[in-house]
Amino acid sequence: MLSNYFKIAIAVLKRRKFFTFISLFGISFTLMIIIVLTALLDHVLSPSYPDVNRDRELYITEVKMTSQGSMSQSPLSYYYFRQYISKLKIPVSIALASEPQATNTYVSNKKIVINIKYTNDQFWDVFQYKFTEGKPYTQQQIDNGEKVIVISEDTRRNYFGDDQHVTGKYIETDNVQYRVIGVVKNVPVTLRYNYGDAFLPYTESKSNLSSHAYEGIFIATLLARNKSDLPRIQEEYQQIVSKVQLNGQYDKVQSYADPYLVVFTRQSVAADDDSQDAGVVKTFSGAGALLFLFLLLPTLNLVNINISRISERSSEIGIRKSFGASSKVLILQFIVENIILTVIGGILGVVLAVVVIQIFNYSQFVDNLHLAVNFTVLFYSFLVSLIFGLLSGVYPAWRMSKMNVVTALKAS
């Protein structure tokens, strides 16, 4: 019986090509968008090179000070890091790093902009960069004030050319010469806490490290021995924050050690939320509602198209009913047709998504960014599309089953 339904469904789809195209386009385009967006989110939010320990990390990205009528919110100063964060006892390593700072350098009269990240030595313990040459700088080299630099593969290619060993050579940027001691694999710009064209000791930063201000250019990443230590680290840090001394201008200070996702939700949707998972539930609820609406639109479109098809197939329905076809049989047939249509649209959507992702990767629209299809998301997206496709066929099928034989034959 199912094979007959399949043959009928294919015949119906081929008979009304325009309606078939509209239906398939809605299903496949929706699924393609979902898969591509989730591939991008998966890249940004899931642990990946060099931030492979993300499930054991907490990020302190800013300190916020307030008083009646005034507020200061900024990344951390070196003084705040040294005075408060470096005294945490539970983390096994604490990375200090700035946001990338653009600097200019020249090669054969050609200007190259190099984004430099200033870090401490523990930065290389927390994040697992792959060195294709050399090694990272040490605390001893930082204390000695050595002019050393670690560069990315892109910077090596742009500054020295391809296929060269550059360890021991010098690179000049912002009128200062640095000795190259390491080359690391490239990191895409989407990883904001890891991206950099070059890495220098924090002592080479042009920020005033001797200032006692709390506002600065740095963020801190705390690495726990295991995941179970994260709540204890957060509690330890909040105890330290409660003891931060303020000058007369401000009377309250807020700063949090957050997991990676919470950093973004606290900054974007829950700036004043004191909870440790600030904004996560709200963000996921909003994303779920948007996804539901996004899937609902093609579903409603399918319902309308199916109702139109019923009107055009009234003669077929009337004849089959007059020969004894039951409402149950007609409903089953119509739902199977809809499922077949949804499956074909889902397959096309997956193929389109793979093609778009490959084009995106090949074009290098974002340097060093390589997206991949998340098969778990793909499976659930396809399943949800199938369910919506099934639901979109129920109401039209019910209307078709209730159609009076005489009315159906007259309508034809």
Side-chain angles (χ1 to χ4, degrees):
M1 182 180 291
L2 287 177
S3 63
N4 289 335
Y5 287 164
F6 181 80
K7 291 176 183 177
I8 294 172
I10 296 299
V12 170
L13 296 179
K14 290 169 68 176
R15 191 169 62 199
R16 306 299 298 174
K17 293 184 176 61
F18 179 72
F19 283 152
T20 301
F21 169 77
I22 295 296
S23 301
L24 290 177
F25 178 81
I27 297 169
S28 58
F29 186 76
T30 302
L31 196 59
M32 179 198 72
I33 294 295
I34 291 174
I35 293 173
V36 173
L37 285 179
T38 51
L40 184 59
L41 287 174
D42 185 50
H43 165 78
V44 173
L45 299 179
S46 298
S48 60
Y49 167 81
D51 197 2
V52 295
N53 298 316
R54 194 175 290 169
D55 61 343
R56 292 193 290 128
E57 292 169 352
L58 294 170
Y59 300 79
I60 305 174
T61 60
E62 61 184 18
V63 57
K64 179 179 178 182
M65 295 175 291
T66 56
S67 66
Q68 191 70 29
S70 63
M71 186 266 285
S72 172
Q73 189 170 3
S74 166
L76 320 171
S77 69
Y78 175 69
Y79 175 77
Y80 183 87
F81 174 82
R82 188 189 65 202
Q83 193 71 12
Y84 299 108
I85 298 176
S86 65
K87 294 179 180 177
L88 288 166
K89 298 185 184 306
I90 302 177
V92 292
S93 288
I94 303 177
L96 174 73
S98 69
E99 295 276 3
Q101 313 280 308
T103 63
N104 296 327
T105 189
Y106 294 88
V107 180
S108 304
N109 295 324
K110 177 184 176 183
K111 186 176 82 171
I112 301 174
V113 177
I114 298 180
N115 292 297
I116 291 180
K117 185 179 283 294
Y118 299 94
T119 81
N120 64 354
D121 64 316
Q122 294 188 44
F123 177 82
W124 305 108
D125 297 328
V126 174
F127 302 111
Q128 302 301 302
Y129 286 83
K130 294 178 182 175
F131 279 77
T132 57
E133 274 188 58
K135 57 186 179 181
Y137 38 80
T138 64
Q139 185 60 48
Q140 186 64 50
Q141 289 174 306
I142 295 175
D143 293 339
N144 294 341
E146 294 184 28
K147 302 292 185 185
V148 290
I149 189 170
V150 172
I151 61 176
S152 69
E153 290 178 321
D154 278 350
T155 302
R156 175 178 62 181
R157 185 181 65 253
N158 293 333
Y159 196 88
F160 296 102
D162 293 325
D163 302 325
Q164 287 198 48
H165 291 289
V166 298
T167 306
K169 294 185 177 181
Y170 285 84
I171 183 170
E172 182 175 325
T173 183
D174 266 3
N175 301 316
V176 180
Q177 278 202 333
Y178 296 97
R179 179 169 56 89
V180 178
I181 62 169
V183 179
V184 294
K185 185 180 173 185
N186 294 321
V187 175
V189 70
T190 48
L191 299 180
R192 58 182 293 191
Y193 300 134
N194 305 106
Y195 166 73
D197 299 319
F199 304 84
L200 285 173
Y202 64 89
T203 49
E204 296 300 315
S205 164
K206 290 183 171 52
S207 64
N208 184 3
L209 300 182
S210 61
S211 169
H212 285 201
Y214 293 160
E215 302 93 336
I217 64 169
F218 296 104
I219 66 167
T221 307
L222 317 178
L223 180 65
R225 190 174 304 279
N226 50 61
K227 290 172 63 175
S228 61
D229 285 341
L230 295 180
R232 294 173 55 223
I233 294 175
Q234 289 175 307
E235 183 179 349
E236 183 186 15
Y237 181 59
Q238 285 308 304
Q239 291 175 357
I240 287 180
V241 170
S242 67
K243 299 174 183 175
V244 171
Q245 297 181 350
L246 294 169
N247 58 31
Q249 185 178 359
Y250 302 105
D251 52 27
K252 182 180 180 182
V253 60
Q254 292 172 284
S255 183
Y256 302 94
D258 287 328
Y260 191 78
L261 178 59
V262 178
V263 170
F264 295 98
T265 57
R266 190 186 296 283
Q267 292 175 350
S268 56
V269 300
D272 296 323
D273 194 335
D274 285 341
S275 64
Q276 292 185 348
D277 61 344
V280 173
V281 174
K282 189 183 296 183
T283 300
F284 275 95
S285 299
L290 286 176
L291 180 62
F292 177 79
L293 290 174
F294 195 62
L295 290 171
L296 187 61
L297 290 177
T299 302
L300 294 175
N301 180 49
L302 267 179
V303 171
N304 289 327
I305 290 176
N306 287 335
I307 290 174
S308 299
R309 278 182 169 171
I310 288 175
S311 302
E312 295 183 348
R313 296 173 66 182
S314 57
S315 60
E316 173 195 336
I317 296 167
I319 293 172
R320 292 198 61 185
K321 280 200 163 190
S322 65
F323 278 91
S326 65
S327 297
K328 182 179 177 182
V329 169
L330 292 174
I331 289 174
L332 180 62
Q333 175 191 335
F334 202 78
I335 289 177
V336 170
E337 290 178 11
N338 221 49
I339 290 176
I340 291 170
L341 179 67
T342 306
V343 170
I344 295 173
I347 293 172
L348 288 175
V350 173
V351 172
L352 284 174
V354 172
V355 170
V356 169
I357 287 174
Q358 291 304 317
I359 292 174
F360 187 89
N361 291 337
Y362 182 76
S363 68
Q364 283 293 287
F365 182 71
V366 177
D367 289 342
N368 304 310
L369 176 61
H370 184 84
L371 299 181
V373 174
N374 185 315
F375 287 98
T376 302
V377 173
L378 186 151
F379 171 76
Y380 283 108
S381 299
F382 190 80
L383 183 63
V384 170
S385 296
L386 196 62
I387 292 172
F388 274 74
L390 174 64
L391 295 177
S392 67
V394 170
Y395 176 68
W398 177 79
R399 280 193 55 176
M400 179 180 69
S401 68
K402 297 298 180 185
M403 190 174 289
N404 182 275
V405 176
V406 177
T407 304
L409 292 174
K410 280 184 176 179
S412 65

